[in-house]
Amino acid sequence: MRIFRTVRAMTAWSASLHREGVVIGLVPTMGALHAGHRALIRTARLSCDALVVSLFVNPPQFGLREDFSRYPRRFRSDAGLCRAEGVDVLFVPTGDEMYPPGFATSVAVQSLSRRWEGARRPGHFEGVATIVAKLCSLVRPEIAFLGQKDFQQAVLVRRLLEDLNLGARVVVCPTVRDDDGLALSSRNQYLTPAQRRAAPVLYAGLKAAQAAVRAGVRSASRITRIMRDRIATEPLARVEYLSVCDPHTLEPLSRVTRGAVLLGAIRLGRVRLIDNLLIRGDQ
Ligand code: PAF
């Protein structure tokens, strides 16, 4: 596995592979890799000739009071996981490589950034869109692999790649969960033992809503109430938002339709958890 730390090394490699018609896959990450990332890497490995994983804790996507400085950084174990999974290139740029002095550009995916995570984390999605646009122009992947857990991010990145003709498409891979249903996230390690015990309540709320849809409930306000009531059984949990949305526009729906997505975010103390479930056609 090659490890590139500079834009120059990364672009030289991707340009030479591009000339040979090699299909490059990209798994963009902020490191602290877990089984969810491993699943992304395995899916990517099977569908691409050459696989790049990027590790970069991207400052602009963190708000002023967010966890940039304490975000877990574990280069050695991340590199070990990538090597074991057959990754070809680990791209680990420094902040100065990605944002050299004078850097002044930011990319905004307007309508898709407004709601949900965008409303609670101002500037977050501009940070995500800017770094993903940069990574795609450096790595030149044909496919970028993203996890369903960050549903809004995946929808937004898909739009971004299409709008800017970046030459890549998005493959969204299913959320990987702990045995009790909690979606894996590098931030789960911030949870205290009591918060960790409470955390599966978000998924339980989403499952309760999904069961109601299967039973024939179609009113989005009833579905949202079912999620809220289930989450209210856990005294540590504070709801940030719960919604039934169109999976492409992320606009709220008044009635549940095939393919709708249930989105939720809760807070346990200072830790935010997000999760989602798709309502498939057979429900
Ligand atoms: O999901 C993440 O880890 C990040 O938002 C991403 C896509 C790597 C951009 O920094």
Side-chain angles (χ1 to χ4, degrees), residues 28-132:
T29 82
M30 297 204 299
L33 304 182
H34 50 64
H37 295 109
R38 189 186 296 118
L40 283 176
I41 292 171
R42 287 188 177 169
T43 305
R45 185 65 283 176
L46 291 174
S47 15
C48 301
D49 303 325
L51 178 55
V52 178
V53 172
S54 61
L55 297 186
F56 181 62
V57 185
N58 177 39
Q61 73 184 75
F62 289 79
L64 278 181
R65 277 199 271 278
E66 292 188 11
D67 55 340
F68 174 71
S69 53
R70 69 174 181 140
Y71 196 84
R73 286 155 171 93
R74 296 194 209 112
F75 175 73
R76 282 165 74 94
S77 63
D78 290 348
L81 184 151
C82 290
R83 195 170 285 114
E85 295 300 332
V87 169
D88 296 297
V89 168
L90 196 54
F91 181 42
V92 199
T94 60
D96 273 358
E97 273 300 298
M98 295 312 265
Y99 302 112
F103 186 92
T105 301
S106 148
V107 181
V109 184
Q110 298 292 350
S111 59
L112 293 169
S113 305
R114 240 191 356 249
R115 290 184 189 275
W116 320 123
E117 287 306 287
R120 269 111 199 136
R121 304 184 66 190
H124 169 68
F125 283 127
E126 282 84 346
V128 170
T130 305
I131 193 70
V132 172

